[in-house]
Structures are given as C-alpha cells and as structure tokens.
C-alpha cells in the first residue's frame, strides 16, 4: 500500500513538473529579451529572430525532457526496491552473474546554466591561436645565414635617434636539481660556490644584478650559511640586485607534470621565500623545459605574477613570431571569456639560452662576449674566434660590434627595450668568472652610455627590471596589455630544436618513475587532507598534545621530494641512471612516510573513544596496504591473516565524493566473509592470485568487496573466517594455453578449467557494457553500450617502433623512429586467462614482453561504466625498440584528437601530414580522446605517457622505450635501465547527445535558415572549426579520472586479538559537494618552527569545466551542480570554520578582506585558494 502511495505521489509530481516547465518555457520564449544571439554582428532580421526562438524552444524542450527523465529514473529505482543493506549477488542457472539493483537511487542534476560554459562563444578571438599557426606554417627549415634557423636582420642607423635603445643584460645561472649529477652532488660541487660567490661579488658594485629560480637549491644553501650572510642576501634582494624569479621548488617540466604537483612545488617555494626572505616573485623564468603548457601561465597569473619568459619553442614558430614581431604576447586561456587570465610572455628568439645565442642573431659574435671563454680557460668558442678582454684600446670597436647585435635582436620585438640574458648551466661558480663577466661588461656599458650619438642605454638588470622598463616605456601598469601586443591561446608542444629532431620521446621515457610520481602525489594529497582533519579534530578535543605533530616534518619532506621530481630532467626521464635511482629512493622514502602519516591520522579518526588514543611509532595501530622492497620494484600487497577473531579493515576514500567501489584485500584463506561495521554481510567475490599466466599463488586469495565509501572518509569493515554455508561467492576461471606446453599450478578451492587450444571469440558483459575479445589473442575487439543495437569496433593491438639507422637515433629526449610501427610479433602465442565473477570479470593475456589485463566491473556507477586496462611491460631484452598500444575504432575523427595538459585542461590537436610522424606525438598526463558526432572514446591514464592519433579512429600510446645510445642533447647515455612497469588505463566510450540534435526537425530548420542568412559558414566538428578551439571532458570522464588516480587505501588493523577498542567509520563532510568541485588540497600551513604545523590550512578548490553533450546516467552517486556556489561554513562535520580568507594561488597575497560570510563562488575552470582555520 505504502509503495502504491509513493508511486501515485511521484507520478503526480512528474505531471506537475512537466506542465509547470512547459508553462515557464512558453513564458520565457515570449518574454525573454535578454536571450540574444551571442557572437557575430549580423542585423537582427526576422529570420535570425525566428532562428533564435526555435533554438530556445528546442533547448528548453530538451532541458524539460532531461528533468522529467531524471525524476522518472529516481521514482523507478525507489519503487523497485525497499530500503536495507546492499543485496548479495545471485548466480542464476545460465551461469552469468547478476547484481541486484542498488536500493539507493542516484540522480544527476546539472543545471542548464552550468552547461553553457563548455559551449564557449563568449569573448573575442585571440590574434594568435596555436592550432591555426601550425596549419599556417610551411616548416620548410630554410637556411637563414648567420642565424641559421631565422633570417637576415637589417636596420637603419638612425632608428633609435628619437627613442634610444634600452638594454638590460641579465646574469643568470641555470642549476638543474639533478641531471648529470645528483641534486646533492651538484650542490656540493657547484651550486653552493655559485651562491657564496654571488653574495661576495654582488656587494662589490651596486650596479650588478643576478637572478635565481630554483628554491630547492637555495633553501639547502640557506640552511648552511651564517646569519650575517643571510642578512646580506636580504639586503641584495631588498635593493633589487638579486631577484627570485618564478620561485618554485624547481623549474618544472610542463609536459608530464600533473597540476596538483605543479601547484604544490610553487606553493612550497613561495612559502619558503615569504618565511625566510620576505619576498614575493613577480616574473616567471623557464629557459629549459622542453616545450610549454598553457597551464603554467594560468598558475603564475593566479599566483599574482605579471610576466613570464620561455625559450624552448619549435624553431619554425620562433622564426614566424620573430618575423611578425609577435615574440612578446599576452598568453590567455582558451576558455577565458575576458582578460582575467592574461599574462605577458616573452619568448627568446634564438636556439639556446647560452651566451652565444642570447646577445643577437650571430653566435660567432655573441660567443666573443662570453668572458668565461677567454683564452686559457677550460671552454672556448666553437666558432674559432675567442673573446678578448676589454681595454681602453679596444672598447670602442668591441662595443660597436656588440651594439650591432643588440640592435638586430631588438628589431624582432615591438618595443625599444631589450632583454639580453647572460649565463648558462651552473655558471658563475668561481670568483674569476664573476670578475671576467661583470668587469668587462661594465667597461662596455660605460663606453656605450658615454656616447649620446649611439642612442643606447645599457646596464645590468634583473628580469623584472626589464619588464618594468617595458611597461614604463609603453605607459601602462604591470600586468596590463601593452598597446598593439597580440593575444595568444594554445600551447607550445611539441618542441623541435633543429631539423626533424622532435623532443617527443621524453613524454614516455622511464615510465616506471612517471607512474611512481603519481602514486606519491595521490598519497600526498590524501595524507595532507587526513592529517589536517585529524589535527583539527584533536585540537577541538584538546588531544593535540598526544597527536604526533612530528608527522608534519614527514609531510614537508614529501612535498619537497615530489616537488624535486617535477624538475624538467626528473619526471621527464632524462637524467643519468644514478640520478634516476637517487630520485627513486627519495620518492619511495616519502611514499613510506606518507603511508605512516595516513595511518596515524586514520587511527585517531576511527576511534570511538578518542581518550584511548596512544601513538606508538614502534607498533602502529594500522598496517600498510602494500610495501615496495626497493625504489625500482613493483608493490607487494599485504596479506591479511584470518583467525578465530574477526580482522578489521579501515578503508580511506581520498575523493571528495562518496564512491561505490570494489575494494580488493588479500587473505590467507578461501573461507572468508566480509561484513560492515554493523555486522551486515557485503557483496564480495573470491578470486585466485597469480604469479604468472598459469601459476596460482598458494594459500593467498583476493576477496573483493563492494563498499560504499564516505567522501574523504574512513569506512570500517570486518573480515571473518567463514563457515562453509556463508562463504564468499567464488569466481571461475578458464585458461587457454594456445597449444603451449606449460605447467599449470591450480588455485585451491576455486574452479579452474584448462583448455589446451586457443579460445573462440568471447564477450564479457555488465549492466552498462558488453566487451568482446578475440579468442586467439585475448585482446579487445569491440564495445557495445547497453541499449545500443550495434557494437562499436574498439580493437587493441601492440606495436613496435624501431629507430633510425643514420647517426641521429632516438634517445631519452628524442623520438626518431625508422618509419611506421610494425606489429608486435612475440615468439610464442599468448596464454589467455578468463575469469568471471559477480563483482568483476577480466581477461588476462600473457605475451613475452607485456601482460595485459582488461577488467569489467559488474557494479552500478562509475566503475562499471568503463573498462579497466593494465599493461605490465618488460622490454629489458629489447634493443632500440619502443612498445606501443594502439586502439582502432570506427569513430570518424579525421585528423583531430584531444589531449590533456597537466590533468587540468584539454587541448585539441591535429595530425599534421606535413610534419614527420614523431612531431604528431603529444604528452598525455591524464587523458586523450577522439570523437565524431555520435561517440567519444577516452583513454584515461594513471601515468604520463606519449600519445597520438595517426589515422582517423585511432588512438595510440607509447608504453616504454629502450634505447642503446645517447641522442646528443648532453645526457651522454641511452635508456637502458628499464624496469618491469605497470601502466594503468581506463577506456570510456560515451554517446554524444549532440548526435540526436542534428537529426531533429528544428535543427534542420535552423541550419536551413543559417545557410540562407549567413552563406559561407563552416560546418564540421565544432571543437576544431571554431576560432577558439576548446573542448572539455564529460563529468563522468572527470570522475573516472579521479577514481583512477586516487584509489581507496585499505589498512588492516594490526591487532589480531579481540581486545580492540570500538571503531567507528569517519564521515568528515556534512554535505555533498557539487560534482564539478574538486578539493585539490587541504594543506596545513607551517608554524614559525617550520617542522611544526600552524593552526591554519590552505583549502585549494578547483571547479572543473565539463561538456554536457555526453550522456551520463547511472553515475552511482548523487551528482548536482550549483552554478559555482559552495557554502563552506557547514561543510566539515563536527568542525567550525574559524576564519576564511581568499588568497592568491600560493597564499602570498590576500584577495579582499576576510568576511564573515563562508559562501564562496567559483567560475568554471578556476582554481582558488583559501586560508582557513578549522577547529
């Protein structure tokens, strides 16, 4: 009866909503003068008004339909099952598993306003759009004379008569925190001497200037110098002689780094500078990263920097920008409707940042003004003309020669202010070099400045001296757009420094460490958040005296080690083997420490009675989920031993959304049951654990449990040794030996069927998706989403690239293949193992160099909507080979594909046929996708790798590369230290609902009117034909990505005896966050003693931009958006928000005054930092 009542009420509600929506809709169509056409300056003729009305009506009908269908879905789910525990899986007679529908309805409610953002269309088009620039350029690499990659520069001698040339020579020393030597060895051999000499030599003449960027080195030096020296440094910074540029922990790689880590190393550097020197960086300096992402200008702008400099850009783009005087531009984000993300960017024009390539176009002349190369020294000029010391006798001739180069260089820029860097790698490490450079240049400057007829003013300067002079010359305040300067959108990948030498190999080089980097990042974020919450709760309970505050030092160490690894020779995989080991040791040490921090915080938070909390470092309350025996080994998961007493598990969900996840646990017995903390049985599955294709691990089993985990919370579960009647459902396995004679070690207590031959083609299926595989390879062949008649071809294959036979070969940096990839041809056919169970089924294919596992989760929600793909790669016996995984589909993507930048934003790409194959590879830190009007296929990745789409419908990723030689970029080694590496992916096929729009009557009518009204309008893929190429992942894609990158952590309670204190699940959030909000970090700030925490934390939020045109149902959790509004006041359960101060990204500047209101608003794509006090 009660159920009937519910249905009646809900039915009536649907009817009312439908009628009311239609009424409102008609009302809005009649009376909404504000809904005008965006973009275009066409006269508002009768046709365009009619077109507008039709478009509105169509959109409103669709919105109305969506709302009603969501209500319907919820009602159906409500009526289908009564409240109670999750039901257990049933195994019907036909052999396939069925999971009863969940008793908790989920709904997706996205407001139409939140869908407008991804459509773009607002704002002006940029002057320079990098995708368009690539299409425009011939890339013909003509010989330009002395400036080999450029052109001859000429000028009239009287050009500066009315406005003299202002020259700033900027001394710098590029210090790599690890490359040929380790970080520490560089510090002891060179960096400490550079900084010690700097303090001494800068004080000799107040006209001297110097810039420094790597705070990792600077902080190490600071810890080792006297108070007197520190005071001298503060004076040099205070009087403008020494400038800290960018101020990050390192000069980060921009291809492989994830935006969490990019921000974290920036905060670490900026916080150090503020605390120790009291300075805030103003200008960015990135002379050595191998290509540039548009994420970095956004982060620098939001950190309140006003200008930036870049250097390693494709030589053809440099030449084009130089010829059009576009080397200085305002860099804007593609999604920015106005100018709020604009930052002034200076691009250096020539080949390198060393002295021969920075004074002007002729390196033979510029090298003569690098006074470290004076005869008798250890280095000389390759152009065979050495520098000469400046004397009264030669100063006029020498100064004129240098001025000619300065004038030629200045012709490439719009202003009469010129920047001339003076430095190179690890320069100025001896006092003699300081004297040689500074004394000789000062003589030249004194001569030039004493000759009014030369119309030049030359001096030493910092980077900000240059930008300040530029702003002053054009008469605007720093940060504004200089008149006539172009606006640019897009990025600067992929980079070539000469010929067809594309630096696209490092997108994959040393993938083992690229993967470890992301594991550490996920642990750091989880540890920061849980530590901040545990600290706030312990302070509120007055128990902070017993809480291990010393864990803060472990957090600081992990921030710095993760930061160090973002360096452009670390995560890039381009350092010497011994240096890679040093990084690996640091990463592993921090990973172990962070697990300890998480365990200590979780211990405190799950105790029912906090008074019983005792921290004992020698006997931690919780065990670790997994251990790594060395820095280059894969993790080994902890096996939980079952006894007569129940074993308790604490599961941590690092996501800000509740998640329904399959949580895997290894146990030593097949007789196991999993219960909730209240003692209710949970859906679970028992599977074998395998050492190899045919060798089951004896006495170890995996029990996988379906658990609903609270957002950012801790869930307590129980493991019981089961009586036979209550055992966990078991998976069954089929093993296809493909004619190979291999011994089989069967798992005990689990069914295994061995087939000597290969399998026939077969399929796995859940409620959302059917995946079909080729029997003889075990590789994916097709995908069919539920409710669709036709399967989509999505076939996977492994391929191998070789390298060239000529002298230039692939190495750590460069990808120089010997042509197209050839199919991977192992000597033996694969052994294929198919496992089916109630919660997930999987296909494992064992080849000689790669084991691939494709898993389909049979669960409602996010995990069941995509395929989990992992590849365990071992190519240690390959010589000059690269292993690739290619997906081929029937998606008509033409030459367009999409890759992410730093996991932060999406950049559309085009396959350029005029460029060599290697030029068409791009970094993929988080995802890549291809699409047509009907479908989108996204490959989501848990580690950064190189990706491309070489043909329509294809997506391919390089898994690992083993190269026997150096590629002549200074490393002096090949890539021969390969490890067994596990690359993890998710494959997501989505239907685009734009597909059904184009077939609608209204749409046809509209396009007909458009054709009549505006002939010549381009059609085709809107993301690429648009003047502002822009694309976004779907909400489902975003959520799948964070699921993959922040896995639930399972910590067994170490105590096996029954005398266990009462444990309670910890649910930190009082309300659900809108599903387009991501808590990037909750980072406790340091106290005066930097090894201890303060009472404040930085809350960093990101509101994601998403595309509504991809259908997303059955997300498995309640998802709503809120037009960017969020009430932080009541967000944290049991804690009060004592203060809330919006700040710049790295907390250096307060934004506005701290108000009593705790309601905030974020625009899509924006990242915002708040200084908060929880207690």
């Amino acid at each position: 009866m009660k159920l009937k009542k519910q249905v009646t009420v809900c039915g009536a509600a649907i009817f009312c909503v439908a009628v009311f929506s239609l009424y409102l809709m008609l009302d809005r169509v009649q009376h909404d003068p504000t809904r005008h056409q965006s973009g275009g300056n066409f006269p508002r003729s009768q046709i365009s008004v009619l077109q507008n009305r039709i478009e509105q009506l169509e959109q409103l009908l669709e919105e109305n339909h969506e709302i009603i269908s969501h209500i319907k879905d919820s009602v159906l789910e409500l009526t289908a099952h009564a409240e109670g525990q999750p039901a257990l899986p049933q195994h019907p007679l036909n052999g396939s598993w069925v999971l009863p529908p969940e008793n908790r309805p989920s709904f997706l409610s996205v407001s139409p306003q939140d869908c407008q953002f991804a459509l773009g269309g607002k704002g002006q088009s940029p002057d320079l759009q990098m995708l368009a620039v690539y299409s425009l350029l011939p890339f013909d690499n003509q010989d330009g004379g002395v400036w080999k990659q450029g052109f001859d520069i000429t000028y009239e001698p009287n050009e500066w008569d009315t406005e003299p040339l202002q020259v700033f020579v900027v001394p710098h020393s590029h210090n790599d925190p690890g490359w040929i030597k380790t970080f520490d060895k560089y510090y002891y051999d060179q960096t400490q001497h550079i900084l010690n000499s700097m303090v001494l030599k800068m004080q000799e003449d107040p006209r001297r200037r110097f810039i420094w960027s790597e705070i990792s080195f600077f902080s190490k030096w600071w810890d080792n110098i006297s108070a007197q020296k520190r005071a001298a440094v503060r004076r040099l910074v205070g009087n403008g002689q020494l400038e800290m540029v960018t101020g990050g922990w390192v000069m980060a790689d921009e291809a492989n780094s994830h935006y969490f880590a990019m921000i974290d190393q920036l905060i670490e550097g900026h916080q150090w500078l503020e605390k120790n020197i009291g300075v805030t960086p103003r200008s960015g300096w990135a002379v050595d990263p191998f290509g540039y992402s548009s994420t970095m200008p956004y982060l620098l702008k939001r950190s309140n920097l006003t200008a930036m400099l870049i250097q390693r850009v494709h030589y053809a783009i440099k030449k084009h920008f130089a010829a059009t005087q576009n080397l200085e531009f305002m860099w804007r984000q593609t999604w920015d409707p106005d100018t709020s993300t604009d930052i002034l960017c200076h691009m250096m024009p020539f080949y390198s940042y060393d002295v021969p390539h920075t004074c002007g176009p002729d390196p033979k002349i510029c090298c003569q003004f690098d006074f470290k190369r004076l005869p008798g020294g250890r280095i000389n000029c390759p152009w065979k003309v050495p520098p000469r010391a400046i004397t009264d006798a030669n100063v006029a001739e020498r100064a004129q020669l240098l001025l000619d180069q300065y004038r030629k260089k200045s012709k490439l820029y719009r202003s009469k202010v010129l920047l001339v860097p003076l430095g190179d790698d690890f320069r100025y490490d001896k006092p003699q070099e300081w004297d040689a450079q500074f004394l000789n240049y000062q003589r030249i400057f004194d001569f030039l400045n004493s000759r009014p007829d030369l119309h030049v003013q030359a001096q030493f300067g910092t980077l900000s001296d240059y930008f300040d002079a530029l702003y002053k010359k054009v008469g605007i305040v720093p940060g504004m757009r200089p008149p006539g300067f172009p606006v640019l959108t897009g990025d600067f990948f992929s980079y070539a420094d000469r010929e067809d030498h594309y630096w696209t190999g490092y997108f994959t080089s040393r993938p083992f460490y690229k993967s470890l980097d992301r594991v550490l990042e996920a642990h750091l974020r989880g540890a920061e958040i849980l530590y901040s919450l545990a600290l706030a709760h312990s302070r509120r309970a007055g128990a902070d005296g017993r809480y291990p505050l010393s864990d803060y030092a472990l957090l600081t160490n992990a921030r710095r080690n993760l930061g160090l690894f973002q360096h452009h020779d670390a995560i890039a995989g381009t350092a010497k083997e011994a240096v890679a080991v040093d990084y690996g040791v640091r990463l592993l040490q921090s990973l172990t420490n962070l697990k300890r921090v998480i365990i200590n915080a979780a211990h405190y938070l799950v105790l029912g009675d906090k008074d019983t909390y005792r921290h004992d470092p020698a006997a931690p309350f919780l065990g670790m989920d997994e251990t790594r025996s060395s820095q280059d080994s894969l993790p080994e998961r902890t096996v939980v031993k079952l006894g007569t007493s129940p074993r308790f598990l604490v599961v941590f969900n690092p996501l800000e959304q509740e998640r329904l996840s399959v949580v895997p646990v290894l146990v030593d017995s097949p007789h196991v049951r999993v219960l909730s903390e209240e003692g209710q049985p949970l859906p679970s599955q028992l599977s074998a654990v395998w050492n190899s294709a045919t060798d089951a691990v004896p006495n170890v089993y995996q029990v996988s449990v379906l658990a609903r985990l609270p957002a950012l919370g801790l869930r307590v579960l129980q493991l019981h040794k089961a009586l036979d009647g209550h055992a966990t459902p078991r998976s069954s396995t089929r093993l296809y030996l493909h004619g190979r004679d291999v011994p089989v070690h069967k798992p005990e207590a689990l069914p295994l069927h061995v087939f000597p031959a290969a399998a026939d083609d077969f399929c796995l299926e859940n409620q959302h998706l059917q995946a079909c595989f080729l029997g003889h390879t075990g590789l994916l062949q097709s995908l069919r989403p539920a409710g669709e008649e036709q399967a989509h071809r999505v076939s996977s294959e492994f391929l191998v690239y070789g390298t060239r036979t000529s002298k230039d070969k692939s190495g750590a940096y460069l990808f120089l293949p010997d042509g197209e990839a050839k199919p991977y041809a192992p000597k033996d056919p694969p052994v294929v193992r198919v496992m089916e169970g109630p919660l997930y089924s999987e296909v494992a294919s064992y080849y000689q160099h790669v084991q691939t596992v494709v898993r389909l989760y049979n669960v409602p929600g996010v995990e069941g909507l995509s395929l989990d793909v992992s590849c365990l790669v071992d190519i240690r016996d390959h010589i000059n080979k690269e292993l690739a995984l290619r997906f081929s589909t029937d998606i008509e993507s033409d030459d367009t594909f999409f890759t992410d930048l730093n996991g932060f934003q999406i950049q559309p790409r085009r396959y350029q046929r005029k460029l060599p194959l290697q030029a068409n590879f791009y970094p993929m830190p988080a995802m890549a996708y291809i699409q047509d009007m009907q479908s989108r296929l996204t490959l989501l990745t848990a580690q950064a790798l190189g990706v491309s789409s070489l043909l329509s419908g294809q997506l391919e990723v390089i898994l690992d590369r083993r190269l026997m030689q150096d590629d002549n970029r200074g490393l002096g080694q090949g890539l021969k230290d390969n490890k067994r590496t596990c690359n993890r992916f998710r494959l997501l096929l989505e239907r685009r609902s734009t597909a059904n729009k184009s077939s609608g009557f209204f749409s046809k009518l509209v396009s007909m009117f458009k054709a009549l009204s505006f002939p010549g309008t381009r059609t085709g893929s809107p993301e690429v034909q648009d003047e502002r190429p822009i694309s976004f992942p779907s909400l489902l894609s975003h959520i799948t990505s964070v699921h993959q990158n922040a896995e639930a952590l399972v910590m067994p309670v170490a105590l096996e005896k029954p005398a266990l204190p009462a444990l309670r699940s910890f649910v930190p959030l009082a309300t659900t966050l809108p599903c387009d909000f991501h808590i990037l970090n909750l980072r406790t700030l340091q106290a005066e003693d930097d090894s201890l925490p303060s009472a404040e934390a930085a809350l960093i939020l990101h509101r994601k931009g998403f595309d509504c045109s991809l259908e997303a149902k059955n997300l498995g959790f309640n998802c709503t958006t809120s037009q960017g509004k969020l009430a932080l006041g009541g967000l944290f359960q049991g804690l009060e928000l004592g203060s809330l101060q919006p700040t710049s990204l790295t907390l250096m500047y307060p934004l506005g005054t701290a108000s009593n209101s705790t309601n905030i608003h974020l625009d899509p794509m924006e990242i915002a930092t708040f200084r908060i006090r929880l207690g």
Side-chain angles (χ1 to χ4, degrees), residues 246 281-285 300-301 304-309 329 342-346 463-464 466-468 470-471 478-479:
T246 309
R282 296 173 51 210
S283 304
W285 172 265
L300 296 181
K301 173 73 173 185
N304 257 24
L305 278 74
T306 51
M308 63 185 291
L309 172 145
F329 49 86
D342 287 15
I343 184 169
L344 176 64
C345 181
H346 171 103
L463 185 58
S464 291
Y466 165 74
F467 283 123
D468 286 344
L470 172 64
Y471 283 123

Side-chain angles (χ1 to χ4, degrees), residues 392-702:
D392 289 345
N394 69 10
V395 67
E397 176 266 326
R398 298 271 89 191
Q400 287 279 9
L401 186 63
L402 184 57
L403 178 59
D404 175 61
Q405 290 298 304
Y406 287 171
R407 284 174 168 174
K408 283 175 174 166
K409 182 176 180 179
S410 89
K411 289 288 288 177
L412 307 179
Y413 293 89
R414 291 173 187 250
S415 85
K416 298 286 200 300
V417 187
L418 182 66
L419 172 66
V420 181
L422 181 70
D424 202 346
D425 291 1
F426 294 96
R427 281 301 189 89
Y428 301 97
D429 61 342
K430 293 187 173 58
Q432 299 89 302
E433 186 186 352
W434 286 87
D435 292 340
Q437 304 285 29
F438 280 92
L439 294 173
N440 283 299
Y441 267 97
Q442 195 59 58
R443 288 178 194 128
I444 294 172
F445 297 161
D446 290 345
F447 174 81
L448 292 173
N449 297 342
S450 69
R451 291 278 305 275
D453 57 311
L454 294 178
H455 303 286
V456 62
Q457 172 72 38
Q459 64 203 72
F460 293 116
T462 62
L463 185 58
S464 291
D465 287 341
Y466 165 74
F467 283 123
D468 286 344
L470 172 64
Y471 283 123
K472 189 175 176 186
K473 184 80 93 176
V474 297
I476 57 167
V477 296
M480 299 301 289
R481 176 181 173 186
F485 277 42
V487 171
L488 176 143
T489 63
D491 68 336
F492 295 100
F493 290 117
S494 290
Y495 167 60
D497 58 348
R498 57 178 184 257
E499 297 156 30
D500 59 354
H501 293 193
Y502 283 84
W503 297 46
T504 51
Y506 84 98
F507 301 156
T508 294
S509 296
R510 294 198 171 107
F512 179 90
Y513 294 108
K514 285 175 163 67
S515 174
L516 184 55
D517 162 79
R518 290 281 274 279
V519 172
L520 180 62
E521 178 184 301
H523 277 75
L524 178 58
R525 179 181 165 276
E528 295 271 20
I529 292 170
L530 215 52
Y531 176 84
S532 297
L533 292 172
L535 194 61
H537 278 282
S538 68
R539 279 181 175 146
R540 191 170 172 88
D544 48 328
R546 286 178 286 136
Y547 193 78
L549 300 181
S550 56
D551 279 2
Y552 191 75
L554 300 181
L555 279 176
T556 301
N557 172 264
R559 293 167 181 171
R560 293 178 174 186
N561 280 338
L562 181 69
L564 186 70
F565 196 68
Q566 303 316 302
H567 162 55
H568 55 263
D569 286 306
I571 192 171
T574 55
K576 289 259 193 207
E577 287 178 15
V579 180
V581 170
D582 182 63
Y583 289 134
V585 167
R586 290 168 183 270
L587 295 178
L588 179 58
Q589 176 205 20
S590 288
L591 182 60
T592 309
N593 286 342
L594 290 174
K595 285 185 183 293
R596 208 169 298 158
V597 174
I598 291 169
I599 281 167
N600 290 339
H603 176 194
Y604 179 79
L605 292 169
V606 294
L607 282 179
D609 179 2
K610 304 287 189 252
D611 292 339
T612 63
Y613 177 75
R614 296 289 177 277
H615 171 58
D616 181 359
F621 181 72
L622 297 168
M624 294 190 184
D625 56 328
E626 59 183 31
T627 53
R628 292 176 185 244
S629 56
S630 65
Q631 56 87 24
D632 60 354
S633 61
L634 290 168
E636 290 170 31
R637 286 160 54 207
T638 305
V639 180
V640 179
K641 293 183 168 51
L642 298 177
T644 48
S645 305
R647 289 297 305 270
F648 286 85
L649 304 174
V650 175
V651 186
F652 173 41
N653 170 23
L655 301 187
E656 60 282 295
Q657 297 290 349
E658 179 183 83
R659 78 204 266 179
L660 187 65
S661 275
V662 174
V663 178
V665 188
L666 295 189
V667 292
D668 65 348
S669 165
H671 307 292
V672 60
R673 294 174 69 215
V674 188
L675 308 179
S676 67
E677 71 186 286
E678 300 83 12
Q680 298 291 333
L682 293 173
S684 56
Q685 164 177 334
L686 192 74
S687 318
V689 179
W690 297 86
N691 271 327
S692 70
T694 58
D695 182 20
V697 181
N699 304 320
V700 177
Y701 302 87
Q702 176 168 303

Side-chain angles (χ1 to χ4, degrees), residues 858-876:
N858 184 29
V859 299
V862 175
E863 296 203 349
L865 289 163
S866 58
L867 279 183
D868 189 301
V869 180
S870 64
C871 297
L872 183 60
V873 177
D874 185 354
I875 57 167
R876 286 175 293 184

